Amino acid sequence: MSIAPVVDTLERLCTLLRTEVRQRGLRHGLRPVQVEALLYLARCNRYSDTPIAVAEFLGSTKGTVSQTLKILEREGLLTKGPDPDDGRVVRLELTPVGRALSAELALPPALEEALADDREWTERLSVDLRRLLGGMQRAAGHKTFGTCHTCRFFRRESSGFRCGLTGEALSESDSELICREHKLGAAAEAPSGDSRPAEEGRLGSLDP
Amino acid sequence: MSIAPVVDTLERLCTLLRTEVRQRGLRHGLRPVQVEALLYLARCNRYSDTPIAVAEFLGSTKGTVSQTLKILEREGLLTKGPDPDDGRVVRLELTPVGRALSAELALPPALEEALADDREWTERLSVDLRRLLGGMQRAAGHKTFGTCHTCRFFRRESSGFRCGLTGEALSESDSELICREHKLGAAAEAPSGDSRPAEEGRLGSLDP
DNA sequence: GATGTGTGGTATCGACTCGATACCACTGTA
DNA sequence: TACAGTGGTATCGAGTCGATACCACACATC
C-alpha cells in the first residue's frame, strides 16, 4: 500500500479548509493569512506574541508578516506595544474587537458538522492527526508550536506547573496556550521537581 | 470533549503542508496554486480537464484560474486545445515536462517520512481522513472530486466498468482518476447491470 | 568604552494572487 | 431568431510574499 491516498486526501482537505476560511474571513474583509495570524495571536502565550513568532508559525518571513500585522493594526484588531526588557521587540495584543472576531472565526462550520455525530471517532482522529503533525514537524525540522502540556520543558511540581526553559511558574490556563519555544522529544535535563522520562517514546504525551 | 483540538491540529497540518509545497514549488518557480493545478491536471479524467473544473477543484473562480493556466502554458507545462463537441470549452493537457514535474512534486517528503514506518496506521488514517473529507464536502455543499470507485454513478458490469452518468465504458485506469462529476451518497436510479445499494450507508464505499 | 555580530522589525520592489466586473463566443431552448 | 445560460478571457485594485536593504538594539569580545 502506498501513502498516495493519504497525501491526496490531506491535500484536498487542506484546500477545502482554506476555502472555508477564505470565504468566512472575506465576509469580514480579511485575507486567509490575516485570519490565521489572528487565530494564532488569540491562542499564543506570553513568550510568543511577537511578529517573529507569527512568522515562524505561519512558515512565512518577517517582512511579509510585518505587512499583515500593519493591516490588522489599521483595522483595529490588534495593538503594538514595546517590550519592557528588549527594546527591539514589539508585543502584539488583540483588541476586544480582534478577540471577538477570532472567537467567531475559530470553528469552521463544515468541520464542526462533519465531526458532530461521533465523539469516539473525533477522539481517535485527534490523536492520529497530532501524531501525524508531530512526525511531519520533526521531518521538516520545523518548530512544533504545541502547548506546554506536550513540551519537553514542562515541569509538574508540588506547587503547580513550571517552564523548565525560562524557570517561570505557569498557571493552568498558561499551559494551554501555544508556545514558540515548544519542543517535543526526549526528557530534558532534570531540574528539581518530579520530572520523569517522556511517556510515549519519541512522541511525547498527547494531551486531550 | 470539544472538537477544538482536531480543528487546531488540522489547521496546523494544513499550514505545514502548504509551506512544504510552497518551498518545493518555488524551487521550480511555481506558486502554490500553480502546483495544485498541475497536480490536479495530472490526476483528473477526461470529463475534468477544463479550466472550470480546475476552478471548482481549487475552490477558486474561473477568472483567477484563467490567469494561473496562462502562466502554466507560458512555462510550457500544459497546452490548450479545442473541445471537439463544444466550441466554448478548452481542454487542458500536460506536456511531458509538466507531467514529469507533477510526478516530482506529488509527494511531500516530510509527510512521506512521517508515514514511512507504520503501514497499518497509514491505512487507518487514510480511511479516517476520507471519511472526514466526505463529511466536510457534504456539509459545505461542495463537489466531491473523488475517483469513480467511490461514485454513486459507478457501475460494475460483467464486461467491466461503466459511468452511469455519461453511459461510457471505463477502463480500470480510467476509474482511478479524479472526476468533477463525482458524487457520494445513496444509490442512483438503477440502469442495467448489477447495481446495488450503497454498501456503507451514507458514506459510500472507501476504495483502498 | 569601542567594535563587531546577531537579531527583531520596517520599508520598498516586483511578480503574482484573487475577487469583481465586464465582455465575447458558443450552446441550447423557446 | 431571440435570448438566457455557460465557458473562457481581459482588466483593475488591494493584497501576498520573497528578496533586499536598512535601522535600532542586545550581547559578546577585545
Side-chain angles (χ1 to χ4, degrees):
Chain A
M1 134 135 206
S2 115
I3 68 166
V6 177
V7 178
D8 286 346
T9 312
L10 210 49
E11 254 162 20
R12 197 79 201 91
L13 216 42
C14 286
T15 305
L16 202 60
L17 212 53
R18 277 188 67 83
T19 302
E20 268 233 336
V21 170
R22 182 166 55 210
Q23 287 174 350
R24 290 185 312 135
L26 223 59
R27 265 176 251 142
H28 297 271
L30 293 182
R31 311 279 143 185
V33 255
Q34 296 166 358
V35 173
E36 280 170 53
L38 194 72
L39 294 181
Y40 169 75
L41 287 172
R43 297 210 48 240
C44 70
N45 71 10
R46 62 178 177 273
Y47 312 133
S48 316
D49 59 349
T50 71
I52 200 79
V54 176
E56 286 167 355
F57 183 80
L58 296 181
S60 184
T61 63
K62 53 182 185 167
T64 300
V65 165
S66 180
Q67 299 172 71
T68 300
L69 295 176
K70 202 168 56 179
I71 294 168
L72 291 180
E73 188 184 20
R74 193 190 65 200
E75 300 299 318
L77 300 174
L78 64 80
T79 57
K80 296 178 180 176
D83 184 287
D85 302 324
D86 189 331
R88 297 167 301 179
V89 174
V90 168
R91 305 228 84 112
L92 305 167
E93 193 180 356
L94 294 189
T95 62
V97 178
R99 210 158 272 281
L101 187 53
S102 85
E104 187 186 333
L105 293 175
L107 291 184
L111 186 53
E112 206 166 358
E113 195 173 326
L115 293 172
D117 295 350
D118 194 334
R119 287 161 65 106
E120 188 187 340
W121 178 59
T122 301
E123 186 91 27
R124 189 178 74 198
L125 202 53
S126 176
V127 172
D128 278 343
L129 287 178
R130 254 167 229 247
R131 179 174 162 195
L132 181 60
L133 178 59
M136 281 188 63
Q137 284 169 327
R138 257 193 310 281
H142 278 164
K143 300 216 169 186
T144 48
F145 280 97
T147 60
C148 294
H149 287 301
T150 64
C151 181
R152 57 184 292 185
F153 297 121
F154 189 56
R155 301 277 169 270
R156 291 165 208 275
E157 300 178 349
S158 53
S159 57
F161 305 139
R162 187 169 296 280
C163 173
L165 187 64
T166 66
E168 284 187 73
L170 299 170
S171 73
E172 176 73 39
S173 62
D174 276 344
S175 66
E176 285 166 356
L177 298 174
I178 296 173
C179 182
R180 64 176 293 214
E181 304 292 352
H182 182 273
K183 286 197 177 38
L184 294 170
E189 62 291 357
S192 66
D194 62 355
S195 69
R196 17 163 220 178
E199 54 265 77
E200 291 187 37
R202 47 201 280 268
L203 266 180
S205 65
L206 301 166
D207 29 306
Chain B
M1 134 133 205
S2 118
I3 68 167
V6 178
V7 179
D8 287 347
T9 312
L10 210 50
E11 252 159 21
R12 197 76 201 95
L13 215 42
C14 286
T15 305
L16 203 60
L17 212 54
R18 277 189 68 83
T19 302
E20 268 232 336
V21 169
R22 182 166 56 210
Q23 288 174 349
R24 290 187 310 136
L26 223 60
R27 265 176 251 141
H28 297 272
L30 293 183
R31 310 282 144 183
V33 253
Q34 295 165 0
V35 173
E36 281 169 51
L38 194 71
L39 294 181
Y40 169 75
L41 287 172
R43 298 210 48 240
C44 70
N45 72 9
R46 61 179 177 274
Y47 312 132
S48 317
D49 59 350
T50 70
I52 201 80
V54 175
E56 285 166 357
F57 182 80
L58 296 180
S60 185
T61 63
K62 53 183 186 167
T64 300
V65 165
S66 180
Q67 298 171 72
T68 301
L69 295 175
K70 201 167 60 178
I71 294 168
L72 291 180
E73 187 184 22
R74 193 189 64 200
E75 299 299 318
L77 300 175
L78 65 80
T79 56
K80 295 178 180 176
D83 184 288
D85 300 323
D86 189 331
R88 296 167 302 181
V89 174
V90 168
R91 305 229 83 113
L92 305 167
E93 192 180 356
L94 294 189
T95 62
V97 178
R99 210 158 272 283
L101 187 53
S102 85
E104 186 186 334
L105 293 175
L107 291 184
L111 186 53
E112 206 166 0
E113 195 172 325
L115 293 172
D117 294 350
D118 193 334
R119 288 160 63 107
E120 189 187 338
W121 179 59
T122 301
E123 187 92 27
R124 190 179 73 197
L125 202 54
S126 177
V127 172
D128 279 342
L129 288 178
R130 254 169 229 247
R131 180 175 160 195
L132 181 61
L133 177 59
M136 282 189 63
Q137 284 170 327
R138 256 192 312 279
H142 277 164
K143 299 214 171 189
T144 49
F145 280 97
T147 60
C148 294
H149 287 302
T150 64
C151 181
R152 56 184 293 185
F153 298 121
F154 190 56
R155 301 277 170 271
R156 291 165 209 275
E157 300 177 349
S158 52
S159 57
F161 304 139
R162 185 170 298 279
C163 174
L165 187 63
T166 66
E168 285 188 72
L170 299 170
S171 73
E172 176 72 39
S173 63
D174 276 343
S175 67
E176 285 166 357
L177 298 175
I178 296 172
C179 181
R180 65 176 291 212
E181 304 292 352
H182 182 273
K183 284 197 177 39
L184 294 170
E189 63 290 359
S192 65
D194 62 354
S195 71
R196 20 167 215 173
E199 55 265 77
E200 293 186 35
R202 46 202 281 268
L203 265 178
S205 66
L206 301 165
D207 33 303

